[in-house]
Amino acid sequence: MLIPLSGSSQVGLETLPRFTLGRVFTDWGIDPIPFIVTVWAVGLYVVGVAALRRRGDRWPVGRTLAFVGLGMGSFFFATSSGVGRYDTTLLSVHMVQHMLLSMVVPLALALGAPVTLALRTLPPTPRRWLLAVLHSRVAKVLAFPPLTFALYVASPWALYFSSWYDASLASSFVHQMMHVHLVLVGTLFFWPLMGIDPVPGRVSEPFRVLLTLMTLPFHAFLGVTIMGQTTLIGGEHYLALREGPMGAWLPPALEDQHLAGGILWASGDLIGVLFFAVLFIQWVRSSMKEAAREDRRLDLVERRSRTSGAGGSPPAG
C-alpha cells in the first residue's frame, strides 16, 4: 500500500513489515530500469554464447557463470529482492546494496569478458563499430586509471555528503539511475584491472595490485566517517518514516546510520581483499605462462643449434 508521508520529500512510500533476514529472500519487487538492463544484458550474452557453440567454438563456462550468475544475478538481487525493497527504508540495507553494486557486480561482469565475446560473435559491421569505440579518444580517457580511481573513490563521498542521496530518496527515477551509476563507475575502475577484455586502460599486474590496495583505506575512512556522524544522511526522509506506521519497528535513525558505516567499512575491506586475491592469482598464472613460453623458446633455440651443428659440412678426409 502506498501512503503519503507528511514532512517527507518522497511523494509516496510503501508501508513495509518489520525487516528480517528472511525478507531479503522472500520479499521481491521489480524496478523497471534495473529489470530491463538485466534482461537485455543476460539475453545478449546468452545469444553470444549460443552463437559460438553453433559454429563449434568453445566459451569457458566459468565466464558465463561469472557474468550471468554472479554479475547480473547480483545486480538483480540487489535491486529486486528484499535488499531492493528496503533500501530506502533502512540506510544499513542500502549500504549492503551499495557494496554489491559498486564492487561485486563490476568484478563479476569483468570476469565474464563480454567485450571479448562480442568481438568473437558480432557481424563485421557492428564489430568494426565496437572496435572504433574501444580505440576512440573518449574510451581512452574514461579508462585512464588515475581518472577511474578518482571517480571510484570520490563517488561515494559525493553521494552521501551532497544533495544527491536526498534526490535519490525523493525520485524513483534518480534512485534507479543511482544503481546504474554505481555499477558503471565500478566497471570503469575494475574492468581494465582484470585484464581479460581488450579494453583501454589496461596496466601491468603490479600496478593493478597497487590500485586495488589503494581503494581499501578510502572505503574504511568513509565507513568510519559515517559511523562518527551526528548529522543524519537523508535525515528528513528517515525521520519522517519513523513518524508513520513503520516507526513501531524501525531502529533509531542515527543507530541505523552507524550500522551502515560499519557495513561499508567491513565489507569494503573484505571484498577488496577478495579482489586482491583474484588479481594475485592472475599475476601468478601470467608469470607461470610467461615462464613456460620462455622455456619453450629456449628449447627451440637449443634444438635448432643442435640441428645446425649436426648438419654442418663433414670433415675433410
Side-chain angles (χ1 to χ4, degrees):
M1 179 179 64
L2 292 178
I3 62 169
L5 290 174
S6 60
S8 174
S9 57
Q10 182 79 29
V11 175
L13 282 175
E14 187 175 4
T15 301
L16 299 172
R18 182 183 297 274
F19 177 76
T20 63
L21 181 60
R23 290 202 165 273
V24 171
F25 304 98
T26 60
D27 199 344
W28 292 78
I30 292 179
D31 285 339
I33 294 176
F35 178 73
I36 292 172
V37 169
T38 301
V39 170
W40 273 96
V42 171
L44 291 174
Y45 194 94
V46 171
V47 167
V49 174
L52 280 181
R53 290 184 176 178
R54 280 197 302 269
R55 69 188 192 198
D57 292 340
R58 294 185 59 190
W59 183 255
V61 175
R63 291 185 179 180
T64 303
L65 293 176
F67 187 92
V68 176
L70 184 58
M72 296 312 301
S74 295
F75 180 71
F76 185 71
F77 177 80
T79 56
S80 301
S81 70
V83 174
R85 292 271 284 162
Y86 283 83
D87 67 341
T88 58
T89 304
L90 290 164
L91 183 61
S92 55
V93 174
H94 161 80
M95 203 60 72
V96 173
Q97 181 190 65
H98 177 119
M99 298 309 294
L100 286 173
L101 295 176
S102 65
M103 296 194 76
V104 176
V105 174
L107 172 59
L109 295 183
L111 290 173
V115 176
T116 301
L117 178 62
L119 291 173
R120 291 181 60 183
T121 57
L122 283 174
T125 299
R127 186 175 185 273
R128 285 195 297 270
W129 294 343
L130 177 57
L131 286 172
V133 171
L134 292 175
H135 292 98
S136 67
R137 183 172 298 179
V138 173
K140 292 177 181 178
V141 170
L142 290 176
F144 185 53
L147 175 61
T148 59
F149 176 78
L151 286 174
Y152 185 71
V153 169
S155 285
W157 291 88
L159 173 61
Y160 298 117
F161 296 100
S162 73
S163 58
W164 182 9
Y165 189 68
D166 289 322
S168 73
L169 295 173
S171 167
S172 177
F173 175 77
V174 174
H175 187 72
Q176 293 176 58
M177 291 307 297
M178 177 190 67
H179 296 158
V180 176
H181 167 85
L182 291 174
V183 174
L184 288 178
V185 171
T187 298
L188 286 175
F189 177 69
F190 285 115
W191 219 299
L193 298 187
M194 298 310 302
I196 298 177
D197 275 329
V199 296
R202 294 173 66 179
V203 294
S204 62
E205 281 82 0
F207 193 52
R208 296 176 195 175
V209 173
L210 176 62
L211 284 175
T212 303
L213 289 175
M214 288 173 62
T215 65
L216 300 183
F218 285 99
H219 278 115
F221 184 49
L222 177 58
V224 170
T225 301
I226 292 176
M227 290 175 66
Q229 282 280 105
T230 56
T231 302
L232 288 174
I233 297 172
E236 181 181 354
H237 172 86
Y238 290 117
L239 290 177
L241 289 180
R242 283 153 178 79
E243 296 175 0
M246 289 187 288
W249 64 265
L250 283 171
L254 195 58
E255 178 182 310
D256 184 57
Q257 180 169 303
H258 291 166
L259 175 61
I263 290 172
L264 176 61
W265 179 9
S267 60
D269 285 351
L270 176 61
I271 299 173
V273 169
L274 291 176
F275 181 58
F276 170 78
V278 171
L279 285 181
F280 184 77
I281 292 171
Q282 286 186 337
W283 189 1
V284 171
R285 288 179 176 176
S286 176
S287 299
M288 293 175 64
K289 288 180 181 179
E290 183 63 29
R293 283 195 297 266
E294 182 64 16
D295 288 342
R296 288 195 298 268
R297 187 188 69 82
L298 293 175
D299 289 342
L300 180 60
V301 170
E302 184 177 356
R303 284 196 300 269
R304 286 177 176 175
S305 64
R306 289 177 179 175
T307 302
S308 176
S313 301

